[in-house]
Amino acid sequence: MPRSRGPRLVPPLLLLLLLLLPEALSTAASQTSAKSKRPKEPGENKIKATNKRGKPTLAPGKDRDSVASVPKTSSIMMRVMEKGRFQKPASTLSLAAGQTLELRCKGNKIEWSYPEYLDTFKDSRLSVKQHDRYGQLILANATAADTGEYSCWLQVCTGYVCRKDDAKAGATYVLFTEKGELFVPSPSYFGVVYLNPDREAVVPCRVTVPSAKVTLHREFPAKEIQSNGSIVYDMKRGFVYLHPQPEHQGVVYCRAEAHGAPQISIKYQLLYVEVPSGPPSTTIVASSNRVNGGDDITVLCTVLGEPDVEVEFRWIYPGLKDERPVTIQDMWRLVSRGLGRTTRLSRSVLTLQDFETIDAGYYMCTAQNLRGQTTVATTVQFS
C-alpha cells in the first residue's frame, strides 16, 4: 500500500514574506497619499510664459479674409510745439488767438485742406510748403476767423494719375479763442440759407469756445427754436436742419453764452426751395426775328434754377467768325414764386447794333451749371 502523505509544511522564509506583504502594501499606499497631500509651492499652478505663439482665435462668423480686409489707418499729422518738440494733435484743439500754428505731415507729396477763406483772400499769414520727407503748414498770428478743420493726406501718383491715400491722412479741428468773439466772424452782415427738401441745410453759426452754450432764435415772431430732433447743433458746422420744411422759412440768428457773457450772431434769411435739380431750364427770345438793315437787336437767354446754383452762359452767333462787335451782359436775382418757392433767375443779354446781312442766321445760347448744360437757339432774318 502506498504511504500516506501528511500536510505540507510552508518554508519559514516564504511564511515570513506572506506575513509582511499586507504591511508593505499599506505603507506604500500611505506614502502615495502623503505625496498627494504635499503643500503646493507658491506659483506652482501658474502658467509659465513660453516663446510659443498660438494662432489667433477668430470670433464666430468671422473668417481670415474679413480680418485681413480691415484697413489700417494711422495719422501722419504732427504739431510742432515749442523748442522743436512734436506732438500728435487731438481731433479738436483750442488755442488762443495770436499764436502760430505749425503742422507737419509725413510724405513726399502732401495735399492740404484748411478754411476756405484763407485761399479766397490769399492770406499772407498762411504758408504751405513741401519738403523732401514732409509737408508743412504754418499759420501765423491766428485769429478767431481761422477756426476750422486743418487736414492733410498723401497723394500717390502713377504717371500723371494721382489718388488720395486714405490710410495715410490726418486732421484736427482748431478753435482760436479771441476776446469778444464767441462766434467765428463772418465776412458779411447777413447770410442766406437755402432749404432744399432733399438735403440738409446748415445755419453756420460756429463758436470759438467749446464750452459755449448756443441757442437758435427766430426774429419774427420772436422766440427760441427748440432742437426737437429735426434740428441739431454741431459745434463744427452750426445748426443743422436735417429735414427742411416750408415752415422753417424766416429770419433767424444764434445766441451764444460763455462765462456769463452773451453774444448774438449775424442774421440769416432761410428760403425754402422747390426747384428740380438738373441741367438748366433755358429759354431764348430775340427782340425781333426780322430786322431791317441798320437796326439794333437784343437776344435774351433766361434760366430758372436753384437759388444757390450758378449758371454760366456761352454764345454762338453769325458774326462771331468775323468778330462783329456785340455786347454781352450776364445777371441774376432771386425771385419769389409764392407758396414758399424761391428760384434763381439768371439772364444773359446779347446786344448788336447796326444790323447787317452778315448778322442774319442762328443765335445759339448754351447755359451750364454743375449738373449739365442746355443749348437753345433762335433765328434772326434780314428784312
Side-chain angles (χ1 to χ4, degrees):
M1 292 182 64
R3 187 178 178 178
S4 63
R5 295 179 179 180
R8 296 182 63 181
L9 296 177
V10 178
L13 181 58
L14 180 59
L15 180 61
L16 180 61
L17 291 174
L18 291 175
L19 292 174
L20 294 177
L21 181 59
E23 184 177 352
L25 293 174
S26 175
T27 302
S30 62
Q31 289 177 352
T32 303
S33 176
K35 285 182 180 180
S36 64
K37 293 181 180 180
R38 176 179 63 82
K40 297 177 181 179
E41 297 296 332
E44 185 174 346
N45 275 352
K46 292 181 179 179
I47 299 174
K48 295 181 180 180
T50 65
N51 292 328
K52 295 181 179 179
R53 294 185 179 180
K55 296 182 179 179
T57 302
L58 299 179
K62 302 287 185 180
D63 56 21
R64 299 180 187 276
D65 292 337
S66 62
V67 174
S69 63
V70 177
K72 294 182 179 180
T73 60
S74 60
S75 175
I76 61 173
M77 178 179 286
M78 298 294 290
R79 180 187 169 201
V80 181
M81 311 293 289
E82 295 179 356
K83 298 180 181 179
R85 294 184 296 110
F86 295 87
Q87 185 181 74
K88 279 192 176 296
S91 59
T92 302
L93 293 177
S94 183
L95 305 177
Q99 293 188 16
T100 295
L101 174 69
E102 181 176 352
L103 301 172
R104 294 185 182 183
C105 292
K106 185 178 180 181
N108 59 1
K109 191 173 181 59
I110 297 296
E111 295 291 328
W112 292 90
S113 176
Y114 41 82
E116 184 178 1
Y117 92 98
L118 289 171
D119 253 349
T120 303
F121 297 100
K122 304 297 181 183
D123 204 311
S124 60
R125 298 175 301 121
L126 178 69
S127 171
V128 177
K129 296 180 180 179
Q130 178 65 54
H131 298 271
D132 290 340
R133 297 185 178 180
Y134 63 90
Q136 178 189 49
L137 180 147
I138 299 178
L139 178 64
N141 194 24
T143 68
D146 301 320
T147 295
E149 184 174 80
Y150 294 77
S151 61
C152 67
W153 59 91
L154 179 66
Q155 284 282 91
V156 180
C157 298
T158 304
Y160 294 101
V161 179
C162 296
R163 63 176 179 83
K164 177 182 178 181
D165 189 346
D166 293 320
K168 294 182 179 179
T172 181
Y173 188 90
V174 186
L175 299 99
F176 291 103
T177 60
E178 188 172 350
K179 187 176 180 180
E181 295 284 2
L182 289 183
F183 288 105
V184 178
S186 172
S188 62
Y189 295 98
F190 195 85
V192 177
V193 177
Y194 300 108
L195 306 175
N196 293 273
D198 57 346
R199 59 178 180 266
E200 296 178 349
V202 179
V203 178
C205 44
R206 299 177 295 132
V207 293
T208 62
V209 179
S211 59
K213 180 183 178 181
V214 189
T215 52
L216 182 64
H217 299 259
R218 182 181 295 276
E219 185 180 48
F220 183 83
K223 67 174 183 178
E224 180 180 340
I225 301 175
Q226 300 296 329
S227 299
N228 54 6
S230 64
I231 305 174
V232 297
Y233 183 69
D234 184 339
M235 179 184 68
K236 300 179 181 180
R237 299 175 66 193
F239 280 96
V240 182
Y241 286 72
L242 301 177
H243 305 287
Q245 301 296 324
E247 57 267 25
H248 292 149
Q249 292 185 104
V251 178
V252 301
Y253 62 90
C254 300
R255 183 181 187 275
E257 184 173 348
H259 311 299
Q263 192 173 99
I264 302 299
S265 73
I266 68 170
K267 295 179 181 179
Y268 298 90
Q269 174 73 58
L270 275 56
L271 298 175
Y272 190 74
V273 181
E274 272 190 344
V275 179
S277 300
S281 176
T282 313
T283 58
I284 190 171
V285 61
S287 56
S288 176
N289 293 107
R290 298 192 69 85
V291 183
N292 295 319
D295 289 348
D296 299 340
I297 65 165
T298 59
V299 185
L300 175 63
C301 191
T302 304
V303 171
L304 287 176
E306 298 177 75
D308 53 343
V309 178
E310 295 184 359
V311 177
E312 294 183 355
F313 294 95
R314 298 192 308 273
W315 286 92
I316 297 178
Y317 50 93
L320 180 62
K321 292 183 179 180
D322 296 320
E323 298 183 356
R324 283 281 289 156
V326 298
T327 301
I328 298 176
Q329 185 179 11
D330 297 342
M331 63 197 78
W332 69 271
R333 62 188 177 92
L334 297 180
V335 178
S336 176
R337 305 186 68 187
L339 299 177
R341 299 182 180 182
T342 302
T343 62
R344 182 185 184 115
L345 175 62
S346 302
R347 288 178 171 177
S348 183
V349 182
L350 182 149
T351 303
L352 185 146
Q353 296 177 338
D354 193 15
F355 191 83
E356 299 179 4
T357 55
I358 195 177
D359 300 317
Y362 284 98
Y363 286 74
M364 302 174 62
C365 170
T366 299
Q368 182 173 358
N369 62 16
L370 295 176
R371 298 176 178 86
Q373 66 180 29
T374 304
T375 300
V376 291
T378 187
T379 59
V380 179
Q381 301 296 330
F382 190 84
S383 177

